Amino acid sequence: MSSRLCFKLALGSILLWWLALPLAWAGPSLGECHGMKNLVFVAHQDDDLLFMNPDIDQVIDAGGCVQTVYLTAAERGEGVRYMLGRARGVRAAYALMADSNDNWTETETVYGGKHQARFSLNANPRVVLVHMRLEDPWLGKGWGSLTPLSRTESIAGTSAKALGSYSESYTRADLVATLAAIIADYGPTVIRHMDDSISIPYTSLCWRCIGHDHPDHIASARLVRDAIRMAPGDYAEAAYVDYPTQERGVNLTAAEIAAKTNAFKRYAQDDYQYCPNPKQCNEPAGTAAAWVGRTYYVVRRNESPALIKTGSNGYLLFTTGEQNSAANVLASDNAQADKDPGWESLGGRTASGVVAFRWVDGRAGIVTRDTMGRLWINTQKTGAGWQGWHSLRDMHSMRLPLVVSLSDGQPAFLLQDSTGALQYCSGVLPDDYVVGSCTAVPRLKGFLTEAVMAVNADNLISVFAADRSGRLWVTSQNKADPQTWYPWRHMASIHSSGGLAAMRDAGGQMVLFWRNQANGNMMRTDEVVKPGGQRVWDAAQDLGFSYVGRPSIGLNEHGYVTVAALEQAGSSLMLVEKQGMTRLGTGVDSAPALCAVDNQLVLISRSSDASQKYWVWKRVAGIWQAPRLLSEPPHAGGGSYAPLPVPAAGEAPRAFTGTPSVPPPAAASGPI
């Protein structure tokens, strides 16, 4: 492709983006939304109710804002009457979830020069539904053929037409630009969308086949992810497994299933394909009965595991299960290196990874995050087992927090609040789950979400962040008053696109790694002490290899700072140490976790296998052993977080009790 053509395509995308912007910023304020602005994208009316609840329902109950965008008319080729009936049904369902009257105000929105129908709930204007109304018949004989949306997403030069009074057509570029403009207009704290990860060709998909989904679900999610890249911002992202949830175990509580059932049934009473006689509606039935008992997230293959040393010269490996959306742990003892220990599910329901740390008494602790931004903590018991999940009160984060161990052994957390600002929190104790104190890190406009923190030479915290223009910044706690922070300082001559890692070395000086904005290579700079005690950064070194994602950093078995990164998905790891660089393995999909265990160095990464297996590399006495492939985490064991009461003095916390037992649903005769 010529440079001139590339320029024209880029210019065209920018023009579409500019045209897509609305004339006014109409989204509600963050304060009006109580810190929760949820932007939901689905293909059809009912996808949100079947695959994303109870999450949407819980956001509404908590006073948050929800704007759901339906890409298609979902009329199945049956015309405007059926389209309007399904739209009427979802309005009734959302009114039920909001405990309000089913009265709405309809207005018109314009994004990308196209018109959409917008409905705002009168009793709770924080609830908004937007309909793009793309025609939605099968273009062939059903499964195995395309729909207008999936054709437009996958075949260049095609378009999809809107049904009803807005008879406008969207190309793929129109769709992405329109969705990006909706994102920019609304200013969400989280975007929820369908499953883009299924790689089966649209025309090879089939109903009730294992691992298959509807082409509109996949197409809508791929378009949304492209729009996210066009409209970056301070928001989280959650993708939902759709049809394949019926192949997994029930993971919702009885109360969640009941609420999800009621909302879907209210919708179905206006959908004559489900309920020809609304007064005798038996929905959910068939596959819908399976879907209302399950909600699973898309857990990305590039999600890094977490690894910490145990007191018995072994390690604990943690990961979020791609099948159970739960935290899972594997305990290994180096004395039994030839044994493949079994995984244990710790429960929970998360779309994020797992952060692991050690309490001052040596017990392991982990933190996960639910899709409302609440942080949940689980701690090893003094003997065997785990205490169960507790909510970290007053701590919400748009992303999984970072954790470091302070000089006194206590963990400290860096999180991003709903305004996008960084918060530093410390003083959390292992058995009361109350945050001692949080201080706001100074605001840095337009920073990338990959900020990192490390303990500096003064035993205080330094935070590093790159902004979207490529500048790298640092701030630190004030030595005179650690509750305050120095202003952000620009690190001159450094141009970074993220990929940060930082750590204090054995001599007490900071070592910083970042991705070169120009060539993607890993760069390194070390803090040095000049005569007179002034600390400065030495000249940056280009380490000569490119990488993706965030690298892992720690001390190796000799106590030296070590960093490891993934070159690219399906490729190798690069290990950078004082003595040089080492390339490890092939067929790796995630950046590694690393730690020193009993004078050995251990690295663990997700393999490129279809199932969620992990490669283990171990260096013993300076020699790399043959890598081992660990078995995958369990497919079952996940469940909604159950808030546990803080135990009274001397009372043991209650453990996670697992998922409710619900009989399997009856088989269905056809797709939704």
Side-chain angles (χ1 to χ4, degrees):
M1 184 181 294
S2 70
S3 59
R4 177 173 293 182
L5 179 57
C6 288
F7 174 77
K8 287 182 177 179
L9 290 173
L11 185 61
S13 296
I14 293 170
L15 180 60
L16 284 169
W17 159 252
W18 181 80
L19 289 172
L21 291 174
L23 296 178
W25 301 98
S29 71
L30 191 60
E32 292 170 327
C33 299
H34 299 97
M36 295 172 285
K37 296 185 70 174
N38 285 242
L39 185 54
V40 179
F41 292 98
V42 291
H44 312 118
Q45 292 84 351
D46 78 355
D47 291 338
D48 43 348
L49 305 177
L50 289 171
F51 307 122
M52 297 182 178
N53 259 345
D55 295 359
I56 295 172
D57 196 358
Q58 291 173 356
V59 170
I60 295 173
D61 283 347
C65 293
V66 174
Q67 177 169 288
T68 300
V69 180
Y70 302 96
L71 274 71
T72 77
E75 91 295 350
R76 298 181 176 181
E78 297 185 28
V80 171
R81 175 174 171 266
Y82 185 47
M83 173 190 78
L84 295 177
R86 296 191 75 171
R88 187 168 57 249
V90 291
R91 292 199 298 273
Y94 273 81
L96 178 66
M97 290 190 287
D99 296 319
S100 73
N101 294 326
D102 186 17
N103 297 317
W104 300 72
T105 297
E106 180 179 2
T107 55
E108 179 184 283
T109 61
V110 180
Y111 293 102
K114 318 292 184 183
H115 297 77
Q116 303 85 30
R118 179 183 186 272
F119 292 84
S120 177
L121 184 60
N122 291 345
N124 184 355
R126 293 187 294 270
V127 178
V128 173
L129 308 180
V130 176
H131 299 266
M132 295 174 64
R133 293 177 172 171
L134 300 180
E135 291 181 345
D136 196 37
W138 289 107
L139 298 177
K141 295 182 179 180
W143 288 92
S145 61
L146 295 173
T147 61
L149 180 63
S150 58
R151 180 185 63 181
T152 303
E153 191 281 321
S154 60
I155 300 178
T158 61
S159 61
K161 185 179 178 182
L163 185 66
S165 56
Y166 309 134
S167 56
E168 301 160 333
S169 294
Y170 292 81
T171 64
R172 192 187 195 284
D174 291 333
L175 288 169
V176 173
T178 298
L179 298 177
I182 293 173
I183 294 171
D185 179 38
Y186 192 69
T189 57
V190 61
I191 292 177
R192 304 179 190 271
H193 60 78
M194 307 193 81
D195 186 356
D196 62 293
S197 69
I198 294 175
S199 58
I200 302 166
Y202 292 146
T203 53
S204 297
L205 295 168
C206 63
W207 171 240
R208 296 301 297 269
C209 293
I210 299 297
H212 287 226
D213 202 355
H214 194 290
D216 282 345
H217 297 172
I218 305 168
S220 72
R222 290 176 178 172
L223 293 165
V224 170
R225 294 210 84 196
D226 283 354
I228 286 172
R229 285 185 279 270
M230 183 177 282
D234 292 326
Y235 50 77
E237 179 186 355
Y240 289 76
V241 179
D242 306 313
Y243 284 176
T245 59
Q246 65 197 13
E247 302 155 17
R248 307 185 187 186
V250 172
N251 68 341
L252 302 181
T253 66
E256 288 171 332
I257 294 171
K260 191 172 177 180
T261 295
N262 291 338
F264 177 73
K265 184 171 184 176
R266 181 60 193 88
Y267 156 78
Q269 289 171 338
D270 281 291
D271 184 336
Y272 58 70
Q273 293 284 358
Y274 280 117
C275 297
N277 184 349
K279 294 182 179 180
Q280 297 179 355
C281 184
N282 296 317
E283 292 294 336
T287 50
W291 293 327
V292 297
R294 299 153 170 84
T295 300
Y296 286 90
Y297 305 108
V298 177
V299 178
R300 305 291 176 185
R301 297 165 63 93
N302 63 356
E303 186 71 55
S304 297
L307 184 65
I308 58 172
K309 177 185 175 182
T310 66
S312 57
N313 294 327
Y315 59 78
L316 293 175
L317 174 66
F318 301 92
T319 190
T320 300
E322 294 170 15
Q323 291 294 319
N324 64 11
S325 296
N328 303 279
V329 59
L330 182 148
S332 176
D333 190 327
N334 281 348
Q336 300 178 357
D338 58 340
K339 180 181 178 182
D340 187 2
W343 289 89
E344 176 188 0
S345 175
L346 300 178
R349 187 164 58 84
T350 179
S352 303
V354 180
V355 171
F357 60 92
R358 303 199 70 80
W359 295 107
V360 68
D361 61 9
R363 289 182 293 162
I366 59 171
V367 172
T368 61
R369 175 189 174 277
D370 67 23
T371 63
M372 288 183 68
R374 295 173 298 196
L375 298 179
W376 297 84
I377 195 165
N378 203 341
T379 298
Q380 272 186 317
K381 294 180 180 179
T382 303
W386 293 79
Q387 291 184 354
W389 293 106
H390 291 260
S391 174
L392 270 175
R393 285 170 282 172
D394 302 322
M395 288 182 69
H396 288 69
S397 183
M398 291 174 63
R399 289 172 179 82
L400 199 63
L402 301 176
V403 61
V404 295
S405 293
L406 302 179
S407 57
D408 61 1
Q410 293 285 0
F413 301 92
L414 184 69
L415 55 89
Q416 187 177 8
D417 67 22
S418 60
T419 70
L422 295 173
Q423 298 281 339
Y424 170 75
C425 300
S426 60
V428 182
L429 298 177
D431 296 313
D432 67 5
Y433 309 105
V434 177
V435 180
S437 65
C438 288
T439 60
V441 178
R443 279 193 171 274
L444 180 63
K445 185 177 181 180
F447 77 93
L448 300 176
T449 57
E450 296 180 343
V452 296
M453 69 171 172
V455 179
N456 60 31
D458 298 315
N459 284 323
L460 298 172
I461 296 296
S462 291
V463 178
F464 300 86
D467 64 24
R468 294 192 180 104
S469 67
R471 294 174 296 180
L472 191 61
W473 302 82
V474 60
T475 182
S476 301
Q477 288 176 306
N478 190 324
K479 286 192 288 186
D481 179 11
Q483 295 299 308
T484 63
W485 295 76
Y486 293 117
W488 286 99
R489 180 170 57 86
H490 177 218
M491 299 182 69
S493 303
I494 292 180
H495 302 281
S496 171
S497 59
L500 307 179
M503 192 170 195
R504 186 174 63 179
D505 65 16
Q509 311 310 318
M510 196 74 72
V511 184
L512 175 65
F513 299 86
W514 75 93
R515 183 183 297 109
N516 189 315
Q517 188 183 38
N519 61 14
N521 282 358
M522 178 173 281
M523 306 291 292
R524 171 178 178 155
T525 184
D526 291 63
E527 190 180 41
V528 295
V529 180
K530 297 182 70 174
Q534 182 185 9
R535 296 191 187 98
V536 297
W537 295 96
D538 66 1
Q541 308 169 50
D542 188 327
L543 300 183
F545 69 92
S546 61
Y547 65 105
V548 295
R550 174 183 285 173
S552 177
I553 194 167
L555 299 179
N556 66 13
E557 68 271 39
H558 306 296
Y560 297 120
V561 171
T562 299
V563 69
L566 176 66
E567 288 189 292
Q568 61 184 12
S571 182
S572 303
L573 299 180
M574 288 298 295
L575 181 69
V576 180
E577 301 177 277
K578 181 179 181 180
Q579 63 267 34
M581 293 186 290
T582 306
R583 178 175 278 106
L584 293 172
T586 58
V588 181
D589 270 359
S590 78
L594 68 84
C595 74
V597 179
D598 191 27
N599 297 317
Q600 303 171 10
L601 182 64
V602 178
L603 283 82
I604 302 181
S605 286
R606 206 273 192 211
S607 76
S608 296
D609 286 34
S611 59
Q612 189 182 359
K613 297 181 180 180
Y614 287 88
W615 283 113
V616 181
W617 294 271
K618 186 183 297 183
R619 185 170 64 196
V620 181
I623 299 174
W624 288 101
Q625 309 298 298
R628 293 176 55 212
L629 191 61
L630 297 176
S631 60
E632 63 181 319
H635 287 200
S640 297
Y641 295 98
L644 301 178
V646 177
E651 178 186 354
R654 292 186 298 162
F656 173 75
T657 56
T659 55
S661 176
V662 177
S669 58
I672 297 301

